Amino acid sequence: MEPNAELADFLRTRRARLTPAEAGLPPGIGVRRVPGLRREEVAQAAGVSTDYYTRLEQGRHPNVSEAVLDAVARALRLDDDERTHLFDLARTRSRTARPQRGRPQPVQRVRPEVHRMLDVFNSVSPAFVANHRGDVLAANQLAKALITDWEALPYQERSFARFVLFIPAARELYRNWDEVAEIVVANLRLEAGRHPDDALLNELIGEAVVRVPEFSTWWDSHRVAQCVHGTQHFHHPVVGELTLNHETLALPADPDQTICVYTAEPGTASAQALALLASWSAPDAVRSDVASPADRPGTAIHPE
């Protein structure tokens, strides 16, 4: 079996970011030739031999136990997302059971009850449903007015990740575009570990390498994270500045679907701007000739 290069690179980057003090180890003797911990220090902290850890970090240990992975995760001070990623990368994968290139992906559908939930949110909160690739499966009118009208796009372009990374309007819409884009990349890295044989995900990553100048630096850092919550700063062409909090909620009945909801702090200028956007985007609203992000190119995936 070929060495597990993804596992090797991930472990090296996690080791390089830690100092002995951060890992609870003495500083050691001699000049350090590389940043971060030495392999023998990780091995010591994890309770395994240096040779064993070296082979693991080189991706040459195909059947590592969960107990050892737990110990290595603790030694490297991995957070929950990083620990999950370590287990995903270390699991044994069949090299012969991969789906053939071009095999159709299953169509994902959003349940009527979830559509009604989006409608309920519509008067106060932008909200959309996405899968693990960031493909937008459904969105309420307010989300389309805030970000982009995914339903007006070809299926293969209906993606929040594609909008943020590929569409120039996103860099204007998000005041903190670098932060938003970097967390999108970190989430793609996490999902690539969970779904190594997802052809559409791999195509998205390959396209981003070519089209997004910053992507390779972010990708090579091996940062992994879920887009679970955060603050986003918008400069909207219709209502101006907004600072919104977003929460990503799991849909237990639909394991590969999450709902992302944006809210504004009550009584703030952002809350007033969001209310104005809701009024402006209502189906019976009288439009001005100002273009919204929904009228600009965006991105995401499968038909509902």
Side-chain angles (χ1 to χ4, degrees):
M1 182 177 290
E2 296 179 1
N4 189 333
E6 288 291 327
L7 175 62
D9 289 343
F10 178 67
L11 288 174
R12 279 196 291 267
T13 58
R14 300 310 91 181
R15 176 167 61 87
R17 72 178 180 176
L18 272 182
T19 65
E22 290 170 332
L25 297 172
I29 301 174
V31 178
R32 291 182 175 271
R33 294 174 296 176
V34 295
L37 298 181
R38 298 178 174 123
R39 284 175 175 169
E40 56 266 30
E41 290 170 330
V42 179
Q44 175 188 344
V48 298
S49 71
T50 300
D51 178 66
Y52 185 99
Y53 179 76
T54 298
R55 285 185 284 117
L56 179 61
E57 191 179 283
Q58 291 173 343
R60 296 190 295 113
H61 207 303
N63 296 310
V64 59
S65 70
E66 290 192 4
V68 168
L69 290 177
D70 267 327
V72 169
R74 289 194 298 272
L76 292 174
R77 300 295 193 268
L78 302 187
D79 63 25
D80 290 343
D81 289 338
E82 291 170 330
R83 182 184 179 280
T84 296
H85 191 59
L86 173 64
F87 274 72
D88 287 336
L89 295 179
R91 68 188 176 198
T92 301
R93 299 173 186 164
S94 170
R95 303 297 187 187
T96 60
R98 296 193 174 192
Q100 293 183 354
R101 197 172 171 80
R103 180 177 179 180
Q105 297 289 323
V107 173
Q108 292 180 294
R109 300 187 183 279
V110 176
R111 290 180 291 114
E113 296 85 353
V114 178
H115 277 289
R116 287 198 292 272
M117 188 187 306
L118 294 177
D119 291 341
V120 169
F121 284 138
N122 192 58
S123 63
V124 291
S125 293
F128 63 85
V129 177
N131 67 6
H132 68 277
R133 287 185 295 270
D135 301 331
V136 175
L137 308 175
N140 66 15
Q141 187 63 36
L142 192 49
K144 290 184 281 187
L146 176 67
I147 304 173
T148 194
D149 187 356
W150 290 285
E151 292 180 5
L153 301 170
Y155 294 142
Q156 68 273 17
E157 295 180 7
R158 298 180 182 180
S159 163
F160 179 76
R162 283 181 172 273
F163 174 77
V164 171
L165 294 175
F166 298 159
I167 304 305
R171 294 177 184 252
E172 301 173 10
L173 179 65
Y174 292 102
R175 286 293 195 190
N176 57 332
W177 179 85
D178 285 353
E179 296 176 23
V180 175
E182 191 169 359
I183 194 67
V184 165
V185 173
N187 187 67
L188 291 176
R189 172 64 90 172
L190 181 66
E191 296 300 342
R194 290 173 173 165
H195 307 275
D197 299 322
D198 187 322
L200 292 176
L201 178 59
N202 291 330
E203 288 172 9
L204 169 59
I205 293 166
E207 190 175 348
V209 170
V210 175
R211 296 180 57 181
V212 183
E214 302 90 343
F215 184 86
S216 292
T217 298
W218 293 332
W219 188 257
D220 291 344
S221 74
H222 285 263
R223 180 189 176 192
V224 292
Q226 298 185 72
C227 302
V228 289
H229 62 82
T231 302
Q232 293 178 3
H233 306 284
F234 296 86
H235 176 71
H236 194 275
V238 173
V239 298
E241 305 297 320
L242 302 94
T243 296
L244 302 178
N245 299 312
H246 75 86
E247 294 286 338
T248 301
L249 311 174
L251 296 173
D254 308 290
D256 192 32
Q257 295 181 19
T258 56
I259 183 168
C260 183
V261 181
Y262 294 83
T263 58
E265 189 74 23
T268 63
S270 293
Q272 295 175 354
L274 191 58
L276 177 60
L277 183 62
S279 175
W280 180 88
S281 62
D284 57 349
V286 177
R287 300 287 194 271
S288 71
D289 59 355
V290 180
S292 80
D295 299 320
R296 293 179 280 177
T299 57
I301 99 180
H302 287 302
E304 299 170 21

